[in-house]
Amino acid sequence: MRHNSRRLKPIPCLVVIVMTLAVLQTGYADGEQARDHRIRTLLVPANESIISSQLAGRITEIKDQVGTVFARDEALVRFDCAELNAKLTMAEAEQASADVTLKTKQELFKHQSAGETEVSLAGAAADKARAQVILQRVLTDACVIRAPFDGRLPQ
């Protein structure tokens, strides 16, 4: 009687624990009857992740059907971020305004119609406006939770 023992490798899928039974029919040359052999297998995910968000808000879209297949970077959850999008638009407008003010002060400085302090303050205001845009983009990016890897939704 020969037994093939193989080491099972983990299958890459997003399944917490799956137990399967395989039934093998084995015949023997000695005229013995075929016997059922049961093999228990444990499928372990190659990747697994618990997803959470920095935001507390209304969810507008969610992939929630068990077994749904998804690709890396695919949106799994979307939040209603109308307010954050509006704040980003405001920050971008303030940045554009600050950049124009800075260029104007620099031109005036060339013609000795503005002082060095005014140019420095306009530069600081432009830097602050740029930082506000970056902050709002970070907050807006949190409106979508993306898949960290290819997978499938578990039960």
Side-chain angles (χ1 to χ4, degrees), residues 39-50:
I39 299 173
R40 290 184 183 214
T41 59
L42 174 65
L43 302 177
V44 180
N47 293 312
E48 177 177 344
S49 183
I50 295 174

Side-chain angles (χ1 to χ4, degrees), residues 58-150:
R58 198 180 102 222
I59 294 174
T60 58
E61 180 184 332
I62 185 168
K63 288 196 186 259
D64 62 351
Q65 290 186 338
V66 173
T68 300
V69 176
F70 56 84
R72 184 173 196 262
D73 291 327
E74 186 176 336
L76 298 177
V77 179
R78 289 183 193 277
F79 289 90
D80 177 12
C81 287
E83 182 179 352
L84 289 175
N85 289 329
K87 286 181 179 180
L88 174 59
T89 301
M90 287 173 39
E92 289 170 340
E94 288 175 11
Q95 179 186 0
S97 174
D99 288 342
V100 169
T101 301
L102 176 60
K103 285 182 182 178
T104 302
K105 294 292 182 182
Q106 289 170 336
E107 285 296 317
L108 289 172
F109 182 74
K110 287 180 187 176
H111 300 292
Q112 297 178 347
S113 295
E116 206 174 302
T117 303
E118 289 176 292
V119 175
S120 293
L121 289 173
D127 290 343
K128 181 180 177 183
R130 263 189 295 286
Q132 281 295 326
V133 169
I134 291 168
L135 173 63
Q136 290 304 319
R137 283 190 181 140
V138 167
L139 293 174
T140 303
D141 287 347
C143 289
V144 178
I145 298 176
R146 299 196 177 280
F149 46 79
D150 295 341

Side-chain angles (χ1 to χ4, degrees), residues 2-4 6 21-28 34-40:
R2 291 180 2 182
H3 290 288
N4 290 335
R6 293 184 196 170
L21 293 176
V23 178
L24 300 175
Q25 292 287 330
T26 308
Y28 297 99
R35 296 183 184 164
D36 285 342
H37 296 279
R38 295 184 185 266
I39 299 173
R40 290 184 183 214

Side-chain angles (χ1 to χ4, degrees), residues 14-20 41-45 48 154-155:
L14 187 58
V15 178
V16 178
I17 296 179
V18 177
M19 292 294 284
T20 61
T41 59
L42 174 65
L43 302 177
V44 180
E48 177 177 344
Q155 292 184 358

